[in-house]
Amino acid sequence: MISVRLHGVLLFLTLLTSGCGSSVDNQKLPVVKADGTFAIPDMDTSGLSLVFIPETEDSPNAWTQVGSDGKFEVSTYEAGDGAVVGKYKVIVSGGDGPMEEDDPRMARIPSEFKNRTKSSWNVEVTADPESNHFDLKI
């Protein structure tokens, strides 16, 4: 009886660890380095988050958090890895705290830059990382 249970447990663990398909890493689309600066007159933009929303639904969003010097590196799967080649709308999605109203700076940012359908920030990530530098200003 114990032997049958042990074999059943071993079979279950073997099936569990062997998997039955490709890994998540194999499903990742290739990314290209992208960076830039973000500036708003008379405002410290450090810590604000930017989201890069792709035009095509088969590409993942990219994101970044602005550094103390106003610079950022775009991320998709890991910090600073870049974005999938394609066209994006960029929006400011938040700052300090989990809710937009937690950061008083968000009230000073015009609503068009926080709305994916109204944002005038259109960028294109190309296969050439040297051309993927974006200066975003309000």
Side-chain angles (χ1 to χ4, degrees):
M1 182 79 145
I2 293 175
S3 173
V4 172
R5 284 187 189 160
L6 181 59
H7 287 313
V9 169
L10 290 175
L11 177 62
F12 173 75
L13 290 174
T14 301
L15 291 173
L16 182 67
T17 58
S18 67
C20 45
S22 63
S23 73
V24 173
D25 284 346
N26 290 340
Q27 297 173 13
K28 290 181 180 179
L29 296 171
V31 294
V32 180
K33 291 280 190 183
D35 62 26
T37 60
F38 178 52
I40 301 173
D42 303 317
M43 184 190 296
D44 173 17
T45 59
S46 64
L48 290 175
S49 297
L50 304 174
V51 178
F52 289 66
I53 304 164
E55 279 188 1
T56 59
E57 292 183 16
D58 57 340
S59 292
N61 285 357
W63 61 274
T64 189
Q65 191 166 36
V66 181
S68 60
D69 56 0
K71 295 179 180 179
F72 62 82
E73 290 184 338
V74 180
S75 306
T76 298
Y77 304 113
E78 299 174 11
D81 63 349
V84 174
V85 170
K87 295 180 180 181
Y88 294 82
K89 285 267 190 194
V90 182
I91 61 168
V92 181
S93 69
D96 296 332
M99 303 297 288
E100 183 176 307
E101 58 268 15
D102 291 338
D103 191 326
R105 297 176 296 174
M106 291 300 290
R108 293 184 49 207
I109 297 172
S111 62
E112 76 174 86
F113 297 104
K114 298 183 280 186
N115 183 309
R116 68 174 43 197
T117 58
K118 296 180 181 177
S119 178
S120 60
W121 286 331
N122 298 295
V123 300
E124 184 171 3
V125 175
T126 69
D128 176 16
E130 296 298 317
S131 67
N132 296 331
H133 181 82
F134 310 109
D135 293 316
L136 305 174
K137 299 175 184 169
I138 293 180

